[in-house]
Structure formats: structure tokens, C-alpha cells
Amino acid sequence: MPASWISAGASLLGGLMGSSSAKKAAQAQAAAQAAAAKFAAEEARFRPVGVTTRFGQSQFQTDANGRVSGAGYTLDPAFRAYQDRFMGLAGDGLSQAEMAQQQFAPLGQAAQGLFGLGQQYLAQSPQAAAEQYMAGQQNLLAPSRERQFAQLQNQLFQTGRGGLAVGATGARPGGGAGLGAASPEMEAYYNALAQQDAGLAAQAMQAGQQQTAFGVGLFGTGSNLLTEGYRGQAAALGPYEAYLAQMRQLESLGQDPLNIGINIGAKGQSTAGANALYGGGMNAAQTTAGAAYNPYAQILMQAGQNPQFKSGLEKLLSGTSTSQEYGTS
């Protein structure tokens, strides 16, 4: 067999032995890393604690691997009874709220009536309203004025001065010339009527403005009625919301044990401990990697690559020795 074959075989054998050692070391390292991760995960696992208070009790369910698979709580029976009573009251409160729309319907109807009435008042301008007021007042005064005029004519006739004419002698309150008449009594009578009409005209203008303002006020009052109706309907939910809030409060008290148990479990999680375990396991895994070194494999590979070793094999296989070579020379 040629020496080169033996040398190549030594190198190959050394490589195979080194590869086998590296594979075993890698497997050992992977196993060590997996174990470290497992220990770290176990240390960091969430472990809730069951808690019982005056208001309730918490429960946690775990699977075969110890992981939390479910959680719940039970409200204390006495407080559950209170909750059921509030539930009944809440139902009554909701029924009352459902009737609120019908109960407050009259406010809406009254508001619509005021809106209609306000439109009637605003349909007329202040000037037209003043004229209507003036005409109405004069119609009211007409009968009394007619009686006064008849009495004045009778008085003048009885005194024999029915046809007496003396001209205009009086002046109006505004400074204008007085109304002329057949007699001083008739002139005074007509001047009194003119003065009264002037006062009515001033009142008529105020009445027109007041009518417009009154129409606007009707709209405002109607809007207030509608607002009160809506506010009343919203307030009708007050009893229902109050009872519901009490039910929620009782439920929150019963849920406290669950929250406490979760908080205790969360505080029991040791992240630092898990990191320490994981770090130590990884260091051990790195140390295991040193097992990949095989001295025999290294010797064989170096021998197969050494020229002197190859030369010696060739001489040994050819049947000659170094000493004989030296002796021949």
C-alpha cells in the first residue's frame, strides 16, 4: 500500500473522529441550553393565588402542565342577594324611564301651542299692531263720546246757544291751533278728544312693540318647556342608573379577590431569578462545547499532513533503513 494512502487515511480518520466529537459536544450544548431555558421559564411562570375576602372568593384553574387555564370569582351570598334586589329595583326604574316620554308629552304639546300662538303675534308688524290697537281703543270710547256729545248739544240748546259761533280760541297741548267750533263748549270738547287720541297713539306704538316682544317671549317659553321635557326624560333614567351603579359596586367588591390573587401571582414571578438561571445554564452550555476537542483526532490529522511522517512510511514500506543509506555512502 502506498504511503500516501496511509497518510490520507490518517487525515481522514482524524477528521471523522473530530467531527464525531464536535457533533456530540453540540448535542450536549443544545441539551444544556434547553434545560436552562426550561428552568428559567419555570421560575418566571405566573402563579396566581386564590384569595377569600368578606365580599367573595377567587378561583384559578390550571392544566396538566401547571399553566393557568381559567379564572373566576364567586360573590358572597349575602352580597349576591343585595345585588338581586338592586336588579329588581333597576327593572322598575327602567320601566319608569320608559313611561317618561308619555308623561312629559303634555309639555311638548304646550310648547307647540305656544309656538303657534307666537307665530300669530309675530305675523303682524308693530305698525299694523299699533293701528289695530288705536282702532280698538277708539271703538271702545265711541259710545261714551257719543253720549257726551249728545249731552253737550242738549245743554247748549237749553241755554239758547245752539247756533253760537265764536271761532277757535283754544290751543292743543302740542302748541298747534285749537279746533274751531260753534261754541266754546264744543271747541273744548273736540280739543279734549284730540288730546285723548294723541295719548292713544303713543300707547298704540308701545302696544305694537309689546305685541312683538310678547310673540318672541312665547317662542322662548315654548323652547323652555321642550327643554324641560327632554331634561325630565333624561332624568327619568336616574333611578335605573343609580341601581345599576350599586350592582356594579357590589360586583367590583366581589372581583377584588380575583385581582388580589392576580397581583400576588404577578409579584411572585421572579424575572431576576429566571435570568440568573438562564445565564448560568448558558455558561454551562458554553463550557460543554470544550468537549468537542479530541486529541487523538488532532494527532492523526497532523500526522497525515506531516511530510516527514509520509517520507518515513515510504522508506519503511520500501525495506530500506536510514542507517543502511548512511553506510552505503
Side-chain angles (χ1 to χ4, degrees), residues 8 19 58 72 84 93 149 156 158 165 173 206 210 214-215 221 278 299 301 309 329:
S19 176
S58 63
D84 292 340
F149 182 72
L156 292 175
Q158 290 179 359
Q206 294 178 358
Q210 291 173 356
F214 182 70
T221 304
Y278 184 71
I299 292 173
M301 292 178 65
F309 176 73
S329 62

Coordinates of all heavy atoms in Angstrom, one line a residue, residues 8 19 58 72 84 93 149 156 158 165 173 206 210 214-215 221 278 299 301 309 329:
A8 N -3.2 9.8 3.8 CA -4.6 10.3 3.6 C -5.6 9.7 4.5 O -6.5 10.3 5.0 CB -4.9 10.1 2.1
S19 N -15.0 15.3 13.8 CA -16.4 15.6 13.5 C -17.4 14.9 14.5 O -18.4 15.5 15.0 CB -16.8 15.2 12.1 OG -18.1 15.4 11.8
S58 N -61.9 34.0 45.0 CA -61.3 33.8 43.7 C -61.0 32.4 43.4 O -60.7 31.6 44.4 CB -60.1 34.7 43.4 OG -59.1 34.3 44.3
G72 N -61.8 32.9 37.8 CA -63.2 33.4 38.1 C -63.3 33.8 39.6 O -62.3 33.7 40.4
D84 N -79.3 41.0 43.7 CA -80.5 40.6 43.1 C -81.6 41.6 43.4 O -82.5 41.9 42.6 CB -80.9 39.2 43.6 CG -80.0 38.2 43.1 OD1 -79.3 38.4 42.1 OD2 -79.9 37.1 43.7
G93 N -87.0 50.9 37.8 CA -86.5 52.2 37.3 C -86.5 52.3 35.8 O -86.8 53.3 35.2
F149 N -121.3 114.0 23.6 CA -121.7 114.9 22.5 C -123.2 115.3 22.6 O -123.6 116.4 22.4 CB -121.3 114.4 21.2 CG -121.6 115.3 20.0 CD1 -120.8 116.4 19.8 CD2 -122.6 115.1 19.2 CE1 -121.1 117.3 18.8 CE2 -122.9 115.9 18.1 CZ -122.1 117.0 17.9
L156 N -126.5 123.1 25.3 CA -126.4 124.3 24.5 C -127.8 124.7 24.0 O -128.1 125.9 23.9 CB -125.4 124.1 23.3 CG -124.0 124.0 23.7 CD1 -123.1 123.7 22.5 CD2 -123.4 125.2 24.4
Q158 N -130.7 124.1 25.4 CA -131.5 124.6 26.5 C -131.1 126.0 26.9 O -131.9 126.8 27.5 CB -131.4 123.6 27.7 CG -132.1 122.3 27.5 CD -131.9 121.4 28.7 OE1 -131.2 121.8 29.7 NE2 -132.5 120.2 28.6
A165 N -121.5 130.8 17.4 CA -120.1 130.5 16.9 C -119.2 131.6 17.3 O -119.4 132.8 17.0 CB -120.2 130.3 15.3
P173 N -102.3 120.7 23.1 CA -101.1 120.5 24.1 C -99.8 120.6 23.3 O -98.8 121.0 23.9 CB -101.4 119.2 24.7 CG -102.9 119.0 24.6 CD -103.3 119.6 23.3
Q206 N -96.4 101.7 21.6 CA -95.9 100.8 22.7 C -96.6 99.5 22.6 O -95.9 98.4 22.8 CB -96.1 101.5 24.0 CG -95.3 102.8 24.2 CD -95.5 103.4 25.6 OE1 -96.4 102.9 26.4 NE2 -94.8 104.5 25.9
Q210 N -94.8 95.9 22.2 CA -95.1 94.9 23.2 C -95.6 93.6 22.6 O -95.3 92.5 23.1 CB -96.0 95.5 24.3 CG -95.4 96.6 25.1 CD -96.4 97.2 26.1 OE1 -97.6 96.9 26.0 NE2 -95.9 98.1 26.9
F214 N -93.9 90.1 23.0 CA -94.7 89.0 23.6 C -94.7 87.8 22.7 O -94.6 86.7 23.2 CB -96.2 89.5 23.8 CG -97.0 88.5 24.4 CD1 -96.9 88.2 25.8 CD2 -98.0 87.8 23.7 CE1 -97.7 87.2 26.4 CE2 -98.8 86.9 24.3 CZ -98.7 86.6 25.6
G215 N -94.7 88.0 21.4 CA -94.6 86.8 20.5 C -93.3 86.1 20.6 O -93.2 84.9 20.6
T221 N -90.7 80.7 25.8 CA -91.4 79.9 26.8 C -91.6 78.5 26.3 O -91.4 77.5 27.0 CB -92.7 80.5 27.2 OG1 -92.5 81.9 27.7 CG2 -93.4 79.7 28.3
Y278 N -31.1 31.2 33.6 CA -30.8 31.1 32.2 C -29.4 31.4 31.8 O -28.7 30.7 31.0 CB -31.7 32.0 31.4 CG -31.6 31.9 29.9 CD1 -32.1 30.8 29.2 CD2 -31.0 32.9 29.2 CE1 -31.9 30.7 27.8 CE2 -30.9 32.9 27.8 CZ -31.4 31.7 27.1 OH -31.2 31.6 25.8
I299 N -4.0 14.5 16.5 CA -2.7 13.8 16.2 C -2.7 13.2 14.9 O -1.8 13.3 14.1 CB -2.3 12.8 17.3 CG1 -2.0 13.6 18.7 CG2 -1.1 11.9 16.9 CD1 -1.8 12.6 19.8
M301 N -4.6 13.8 12.3 CA -4.7 14.8 11.2 C -3.4 15.5 11.0 O -2.9 15.7 9.8 CB -5.8 15.9 11.5 CG -7.2 15.3 11.5 SD -8.4 16.6 11.9 CE -8.2 17.7 10.6
F309 N 6.6 12.4 8.2 CA 5.9 11.1 8.5 C 5.6 10.4 7.2 O 5.8 9.1 7.2 CB 4.6 11.5 9.3 CG 3.7 10.3 9.5 CD1 4.1 9.4 10.5 CD2 2.6 10.1 8.8 CE1 3.3 8.3 10.8 CE2 1.8 9.0 9.0 CZ 2.1 8.0 10.0
S329 N 26.8 5.3 1.7 CA 27.5 6.5 1.3 C 28.9 6.5 1.8 O 29.8 7.0 1.3 CB 26.7 7.7 1.7 OG 26.6 7.7 3.1

